[in-house]
Amino acid sequence: MDKKITQKDINNAVWKACDTFRGSIDPSVYKDYVLTMLFIKYLSDVHDDKYKTYLDKYNGEAERASRAMRHERFVVPEQSHFKFLYDSRNESNIGELINIALTDLEEANREKLYSEDGAGIFQNIDFNNSKLGEPKDKNTRLKNLLLDFNSEKLDLRPSQLDGNDIIGGAYEYLIANFASDAGKKAGEFFTPAEVSTLLAKLTKSKPGSRIADITCGSGSLLIKAGQEVGSPNFSLYGQEANGSTWALAVMNMFLHGFDNATIRWGDTIRNPKLKEGDELMKFDTVVGNPPFSLDKWGKSDDKEEDKSADSFDPETDQYNRFWRGVPPKSKGDWAFITHMIETTYEGTGKVGVVVPHGVLFRGASEGKIRRKLIEENLLEAVIGLPANLFFGTGIPAAILIFNRGKADNTDVLFVDASQCYESAKNQNKLRLEEDINPIVESYEQFNQGQLQPGNIKDKYSYVATFDEIAENDYNLNIPRYVDTFEEEPEVDIAAVQSEIESLEGELKNVQTEIQKYLTQLTN
């Protein structure tokens, strides 16, 4: 029997396929082309695998096999199949042919590949785009891309793969590597895998849960939150403002086998799409890594923006999400947080969100919102993370956990994990055993009522009472609770005195020598 293709084989092969674009096109742009081609190749190879199975079943009767294929997960029209595109690789209009293939694929799978608003997932990608170079260069690049994906190492038929989630794994691998290459722009579409793992473990959902990510990027965090459930019984919902990134998230769901995930395209604050009737949909768990301190997130000045009936004004938000207060125009952090809280089930819902440290202590309207949430007893934990974990910013961030089922416990857990990481070349990394698990264990102990107020672990964790936080004027800055002060070592005065005397003796000897040489020089 042939050797099965492993995760490593596919990862290496798809990363090599990126060589076609490297050096000439920005990674934040070319990622969309490579990931879309991976999706087409996957659907084509799955189609071929299934078709062969039906041919065997029906003793080679092609018509019966083709009829059965119409009821499969995806319909792949002949001109949308990778083989057709590969055979057309030398055509002068190859970019146009790929575009037509994508449109036909969308049309043949409208229920899956169109959003409820009528947007197809490939509408933001153009293989005939001048971004890919002059016509001759563009055609060469697309031909090379098709050649790379035709490699034996990229045989994506399920029967050839050594595991069910290898394609999903390869997709995540590519996104992570693109994020590393894309630098600053990467934060828009990717949360580092270790941070996603930590957030998913801290908000671990029960079977049957509805889980949402309201700024889902390419979907990796949402998938991790689902996988953490430990059973296939959960449903995933996401919304993403960037059209290209939304398409990546939809493809990511299919490649991981989450065909029933609902991923919507639009601005979560100005135009929330996850709704039931006219009301916002409610979830058991909401996770997110919203853009840090987003400027112009929704609030506008009269003179700056048309205040017509259809323009968004948080003061009169139809869903009443900002009843605790409206965050400042230049910092949208609390707008995302309050949206997340308002869309969880009362009495049980949980929110896990990545925030910049300013969220913990900034005053004015942000301070008022923070105070109200603490007074409502929704805040459960504040976890400080190391610096340089995220793409696009070196600043340290924190995770806030809100729990609508805290019951009588009004305490809040503080963890300072800022020194717990492995230093890597471009990015610091969280390690599972040394860094992630201790945070999760501390949180679980607190969540189960096993930790009393006060210092839990020196320079690491502390449980603060509501009164303590109130005395601190609802400031959540972690050093106010976790004492990170490093005492200076005690000085041995006698030893220092002895050292000084010894040095003074040596100095005298040197001075005597210098004087001797000077005398010789002047005589």
Side-chain angles (χ1 to χ4, degrees):
M1 186 182 166
D2 292 341
K3 181 176 174 284
K4 295 263 185 172
I5 295 172
T6 66
Q7 184 75 68
K8 191 164 183 259
D9 295 334
I10 285 196
N11 288 358
N12 290 341
V14 289
W15 191 236
K16 185 182 180 302
C18 302
D19 287 345
T20 295
F21 298 108
R22 271 196 200 100
S24 52
I25 299 169
D26 190 275
S28 62
V29 173
Y30 75 64
K31 74 179 189 313
D32 298 340
Y33 294 97
V34 176
L35 290 166
T36 300
M37 190 56 71
L38 176 64
F39 188 63
I40 293 173
K41 181 70 162 67
Y42 167 70
L43 293 189
S44 302
D45 286 357
V46 168
H47 173 278
D48 293 352
D49 226 18
K50 283 282 182 187
Y51 184 66
K52 183 178 181 304
T53 303
Y54 284 126
L55 273 181
D56 292 347
K57 182 178 177 180
Y58 299 126
N59 300 317
E61 290 183 47
E63 197 176 319
R64 287 184 74 187
S66 296
R67 208 161 46 234
M69 287 299 293
R70 286 179 212 139
H71 304 290
E72 275 303 312
R73 188 175 162 219
F74 282 94
V75 173
V76 181
E78 188 180 337
Q79 288 182 298
S80 300
H81 195 289
F82 178 81
K83 186 177 185 311
F84 172 82
L85 296 175
Y86 177 73
D87 290 345
S88 311
R89 65 190 179 278
N90 293 312
E91 299 292 333
S92 61
N93 65 335
I94 182 60
E96 197 182 335
L97 291 174
I98 298 174
N99 284 347
I100 293 166
L102 295 176
T103 303
D104 291 350
L105 189 63
E106 280 176 340
E107 286 300 320
N109 302 276
R110 282 192 77 90
E111 280 191 18
K112 281 188 158 74
L113 301 184
Y114 270 84
S115 80
E116 290 173 37
D117 306 322
I121 68 164
F122 301 123
Q123 72 172 40
N124 291 294
I125 187 148
D126 178 6
F127 278 82
N128 210 23
N129 198 312
S130 57
K131 279 182 189 171
L132 295 174
E134 296 293 319
K136 192 177 174 193
D137 292 339
K138 177 183 66 190
N139 288 351
T140 303
R141 284 195 182 104
L142 294 176
K143 177 183 174 178
N144 286 336
L145 186 66
L146 290 162
L147 283 165
D148 284 338
F149 270 93
N150 196 52
S151 155
E152 279 181 20
K153 290 176 182 169
L154 277 174
D155 182 347
L156 307 181
R157 288 176 295 164
S159 60
Q160 302 303 302
L161 300 179
D162 186 23
N164 291 331
D165 201 27
I166 279 183
I167 309 299
Y171 195 85
E172 297 274 331
Y173 171 82
L174 274 180
I175 290 175
N177 278 287
F178 287 138
S180 183
D181 278 7
K184 191 155 189 178
K185 291 178 184 168
E188 294 171 17
F189 62 84
F190 187 68
T191 299
E194 301 82 9
V195 178
S196 294
T197 297
L198 173 58
L199 208 46
K201 286 179 179 294
L202 289 168
T203 56
K204 186 177 170 68
S205 304
K206 295 184 174 72
S209 291
R210 275 180 170 185
I211 305 167
D213 181 345
I214 51 101
T215 52
C216 72
S218 48
S220 306
L221 169 56
L222 187 55
I223 286 167
K224 279 256 172 46
Q227 289 169 333
E228 199 58 41
V229 173
S231 99
N233 180 17
F234 57 85
S235 46
L236 299 180
Y237 298 83
Q239 183 163 342
E240 170 54 40
N242 179 295
S244 301
T245 308
W246 162 73
L248 297 185
V250 174
M251 287 187 269
N252 203 2
M253 295 299 147
F254 287 127
L255 292 172
H256 280 88
F258 298 134
D259 287 21
N260 296 319
T262 300
I263 310 293
R264 305 298 306 278
W265 175 20
D267 183 318
T268 287
I269 302 298
R270 294 170 187 267
N271 188 13
K273 296 281 186 73
L274 297 170
K275 297 195 291 187
E276 286 175 314
D278 294 331
E279 300 294 315
L280 292 176
M281 192 180 275
K282 297 276 188 180
F283 306 99
D284 296 282
T285 311
V286 182
V287 293
N289 177 17
F292 287 179
S293 302
L294 183 65
D295 189 17
K296 297 179 183 163
W297 56 270
K299 192 177 181 184
S300 59
D301 295 330
D302 287 328
K303 62 179 181 290
E304 212 178 80
E305 196 170 306
D306 172 32
K307 283 280 189 177
S308 60
D310 61 349
S311 72
F312 173 73
D313 180 5
E315 303 276 359
T316 55
D317 175 46
Q318 71 181 93
Y319 308 105
N320 197 27
R321 287 170 290 175
F322 309 111
W323 61 270
R324 297 178 185 87
V326 177
K329 187 180 78 166
S330 61
K331 292 182 174 62
D333 304 299
W334 283 105
F336 289 105
I337 296 168
T338 50
H339 172 94
M340 293 168 86
I341 290 167
E342 291 299 293
T343 54
T344 48
Y345 289 118
E346 286 181 34
T348 57
K350 194 171 269 195
V351 168
V353 57
V354 180
V355 297
H357 276 265
V359 166
L360 308 179
F361 54 77
R362 288 193 298 249
S365 59
E366 293 183 281
K368 286 175 190 158
I369 299 166
R370 189 170 60 242
R371 174 177 181 155
K372 281 190 176 167
L373 286 166
I374 294 166
E375 287 176 339
E376 287 172 62
N377 194 29
L378 297 181
L379 180 64
E380 191 166 48
V382 179
I383 295 153
L385 299 175
N388 204 29
L389 278 185
F390 295 88
F391 297 100
T393 177
I395 65 167
I399 288 175
L400 296 180
I401 304 292
F402 296 93
N403 186 351
R404 300 192 80 163
K406 266 186 85 182
D408 300 330
N409 182 6
T410 58
D411 300 338
V412 175
L413 172 69
F414 287 82
V415 175
D416 182 351
S418 60
Q419 303 307 310
C420 307
Y421 62 90
E422 177 184 23
S423 187
K425 187 179 163 193
N426 297 324
Q427 246 29 66
N428 288 332
K429 281 194 174 355
L430 296 177
R431 298 156 297 187
L432 183 64
E433 294 298 328
E434 299 97 315
D435 308 323
I436 293 173
N437 287 348
I439 295 171
V440 175
E441 282 162 23
S442 299
Y443 171 70
E444 285 174 350
Q445 287 169 349
F446 174 75
N447 182 257
Q448 290 156 17
Q450 295 171 13
L451 302 182
Q452 296 305 307
N455 193 37
I456 304 301
K457 184 180 174 189
D458 270 353
K459 299 183 178 20
Y460 185 74
S461 53
Y462 185 90
V463 172
T465 63
F466 172 80
D467 290 341
E468 267 181 281
I469 296 172
E471 278 170 29
N472 276 321
D473 203 19
Y474 302 92
N475 184 321
L476 301 174
N477 205 11
I478 297 168
R480 285 184 176 237
Y481 305 94
V482 180
D483 181 9
T484 55
F485 179 71
E486 293 284 348
E487 283 190 14
E488 294 289 332
E490 277 190 26
V491 177
D492 184 338
I493 301 294
V496 171
Q497 187 61 44
S498 168
E499 176 83 359
I500 290 170
E501 286 170 4
S502 167
L503 289 170
E504 282 177 343
E506 284 179 32
L507 183 60
K508 273 184 184 168
N509 291 338
V510 170
Q511 285 171 335
T512 305
E513 285 290 307
I514 290 171
Q515 194 57 50
K516 198 162 71 180
Y517 288 125
L518 286 172
T519 306
Q520 286 173 357
L521 286 168
T522 52
N523 287 336

